[in-house]
Amino acid sequence: MSAELPIVRTVADLRAEVGAWKAAGQRVGFTPTMGALHEGHLSLVRLARTRADRVVASVFVNPTQFGPNEDFEAYPRDEARDAALLAEAGCDLMYAPTVAEMYPPGSATTVIVGGVSEPLDGLARPGHFAGVATVVTKLLNQCAPDVAVFGEKDFQQLQVIRTLVRDLDMPVDILGAPTARAADGLALSSRNAYLTEAERRIAAHLNQVLAEALRRVKAGEPVAETESSAVDSLKAAGFSSVDYVEARVPATLARLGPGPAVGPVRVLAAARLGRTRLIDNMGD
Ligand code: PAF
């Protein structure tokens, strides 16, 4: 049994803890989360641990990154369970601010990242990446870690965060961690908890279809045909609808050129099963 995890809820208390560690010459790692933790999050904490003497994890369900018809209210929340899991994984401190602490009355600043925020989920979820970029900028300024770890499962989010840290000259290393998967390859996600048993079986097709699309693009097959046959495969497997399956340049998320793919490729997908929207991606 690990000792109980200390929890702070204000920016001032977070800064006091982190400031004391830094004054003692310790490196600080940070893993921002929205809670409902699973093995994927814990792998981020363990990775942060390998790069830092102390690890902070935030648990904050950020209202500004959810659209009006999305699952902000329904998003699973269990702080006691999250704290126990974080302690087991080697986290030193949980930062769990309230919405009022994060966005005090009068908050008037939004961080908008051009380019990488625009396609894919930027089109499917208007405003989502402005919410993510704003809260991540605030979290990084509040915690001031030396290194922050984000999952590659949210690949576009990772590129948005890398871009804002670069463009805003923020003194933090951003580390991407490989996607944690279930035995059948389904990417771990807090939203998998919404799936019925039948939907859970269908969900396993997403990573298989992505792997096949990546194989075909890398083999030089035409990109547009490969993408549309991946969409057809997901629908045939039982997905209710497909927002996109697209092969992109990993660093910029720009479209690939018309000819056979040269250089690295990342295939990204978002598809719906009933009320659940799943995302995943694969690259070489
Ligand atoms: O990936 C998430 O859980 C969230 O988007 C993040 C990065 C914690 C910002 O709210």
Side-chain angles (χ1 to χ4, degrees), residues 32-34 41 60 62 65 132 135-136 139 150 154 157 161:
T33 82
M34 296 207 301
H41 298 109
F60 178 66
N62 173 37
Q65 69 188 76
V132 169
V135 81
V136 170
L139 287 165
F150 296 85
D154 297 288
Q157 168 176 283
I161 293 165

